[in-house]
Amino acid sequence: MMLVMIILFKFLIVFTEAQLKVGFYNKVCPAAETVVANVVKDATKSDPQTPAFMLRLHFHDCFVEGCDGSILIDNGVNSERAANGHQGVLGYDVIENAKAQLESMCPSVVSCADIVAMAARDAVALSHGPVYQVETGRKDGLVSRIELAARMPDVQDSIQILKQKFIEKGLNDKDLVILSAAHTIGTSACFFMTTRLYDFASSGGPDPSINASFLPELTSACPKGGNPNDRLPMDHGSGDIFDKQIFQNIRSGFAVLQSDAKLMDDPTTKGIVDSYFGLLSPLTGPSFEGDFMSSMVRMGRIGFKTGSTGNIRRVCKAFN
């Protein structure tokens, strides 16, 4: 009987350690969430694109080895952040700033992975989006290798491939649609637009799903042979505000990214997009804000590390 009790007790310890929860740092580092929020707010004053950086950083982190801060490691050309799928990901300095402040207050307590998750939450709020509670308690991953990022969703993926990549991470079609809506804020480099505008499906022409009245605007922003690093808003007409306008753009052929436009190629994902614009949608339809919060929480649970599978880094860009 005593042996059974010991085994059960050890199981409960492991089970408790393996759970994320809201307010994980309330007792061990009470100011953690406030510090992160203030760092993101200050960074946004200097660069209004910071919220978009934080959202994208969280997504890219979670979709490789899980939400474990592996994308933050900078150990040369073979580190995960050097992968083609992470091109254009920014905001590492914001995370390092928050980490440095927290290390001075609560050494080796707050993980970099949690800072990324909290910063993404604060980014949504700063963009006039929903305010939600973020689960914390992650540890930082012990691995960061470029080849592990080979399955990142890509702007040129078909809708079937995008759906499969989300399924592989334990997410569903609705999560794919909702998390794509994170493109409601931020900009894209013209690098990601070239094929869609000038050689879609090796046709030598543009993607036919682009609204004819929108095409001149896109080609003007990203001319053929122009600077691939020039940027344009990903949400036409609403690039600085977190809202569901991006879905209306997608429905109308005004999607900027090819992967967003692909949501209309599948009856399931198309139906999810359309569900936010039904005649009675304001009264009985789904809540875009509520669904976004739920999908962000689910994404934040992908492959998180606890116990001996991770640690708390002292500096986010380097292993201890």
Side-chain angles (χ1 to χ4, degrees):
M1 182 67 177
M2 180 61 69
L3 178 61
V4 172
M5 290 181 66
I6 291 173
I7 292 173
L8 286 173
F9 180 68
K10 288 184 176 181
F11 172 79
L12 287 172
I13 291 176
V14 172
F15 181 79
T16 300
E17 286 184 344
Q19 300 306 298
L20 300 180
K21 69 175 184 179
V22 173
F24 181 86
Y25 296 109
N26 284 355
K27 293 183 178 179
V28 293
C29 190
E33 298 204 23
T34 300
V35 168
V36 175
N38 287 337
V39 168
V40 174
K41 185 176 180 180
D42 289 344
T44 302
K45 291 177 181 177
S46 300
D47 187 345
Q49 289 299 311
T50 296
F53 299 160
M54 297 298 97
L55 260 183
R56 192 176 184 209
L57 185 60
H58 187 33
F59 177 85
H60 280 250
D61 183 36
C62 292
F63 260 73
V64 181
E65 284 293 281
C67 308
D68 66 350
S70 58
I71 193 173
L72 304 174
I73 294 295
D74 186 8
N75 57 1
V77 296
N78 293 319
S79 57
E80 180 194 316
R81 70 157 73 180
N84 286 335
H86 293 327
Q87 290 183 80
V89 174
L90 299 170
Y92 299 105
D93 56 328
V94 179
I95 304 302
E96 290 289 359
N97 187 4
K99 177 62 172 174
Q101 292 189 32
L102 290 170
E103 281 297 296
S104 67
M105 300 166 56
C106 316
S108 300
V109 171
V110 183
S111 70
C112 300
D114 276 344
I115 294 173
V116 172
M118 289 187 279
R121 181 268 314 273
D122 299 330
V124 174
L126 283 170
S127 303
H128 309 287
V131 177
Y132 63 95
Q133 293 184 311
V134 66
E135 296 175 333
T136 45
R138 301 167 188 80
K139 285 192 175 180
D140 296 319
L142 306 176
V143 176
S144 178
R145 298 200 307 271
I146 189 170
E147 67 269 18
L148 297 176
R151 291 288 290 170
M152 276 299 302
D154 186 83
V155 292
Q156 295 189 47
D157 283 342
S158 69
I159 187 61
Q160 290 77 23
I161 291 176
L162 288 170
K163 290 172 69 171
Q164 181 58 38
K165 287 181 177 180
F166 271 68
I167 289 171
E168 289 170 4
K169 296 300 179 182
L171 302 177
N172 57 35
D173 291 350
K174 188 165 189 175
D175 294 317
L176 166 59
V177 173
I178 292 297
L179 293 174
S180 295
H183 297 149
T184 181
I185 58 173
T187 62
S188 171
C190 288
F191 170 84
F192 296 106
M193 300 294 298
T194 303
T195 299
R196 187 178 189 218
L197 293 178
Y198 301 107
D199 194 24
F200 181 76
S202 301
S203 66
D207 180 351
S209 73
I210 300 173
N211 189 298
S213 66
F214 187 40
L215 184 58
E217 183 176 331
L218 292 177
T219 54
S220 175
C222 298
K224 191 172 185 178
N227 186 344
N229 295 316
D230 285 348
R231 307 190 71 84
L232 72 165
M234 291 185 288
D235 188 6
H236 175 71
S238 183
D240 297 321
I241 303 296
F242 187 97
D243 57 21
K244 65 179 182 180
Q245 176 62 35
I246 190 165
F247 284 157
Q248 189 63 276
N249 286 337
I250 291 170
R251 297 171 81 219
S252 305
F254 282 76
V256 172
L257 296 180
Q258 182 175 319
S259 54
D260 288 347
K262 290 295 182 182
L263 296 176
M264 302 304 284
D265 287 357
D266 177 82
T268 301
T269 53
K270 180 181 183 299
I272 295 168
V273 172
D274 289 340
S275 70
Y276 295 98
F277 298 95
L279 184 63
L280 298 178
S281 181
L283 298 175
T284 62
S287 165
F288 167 62
E289 290 80 6
D291 289 343
F292 186 83
M293 290 188 287
S294 297
S295 288
M296 286 294 287
V297 171
R298 279 196 292 274
M299 185 182 76
R301 294 170 180 163
I302 297 174
F304 65 88
K305 309 299 189 291
T306 59
S308 61
T309 63
N311 60 22
I312 307 296
R313 292 183 208 142
R314 291 183 289 274
V315 177
C316 291
K317 66 180 180 180
F319 294 121
N320 289 348

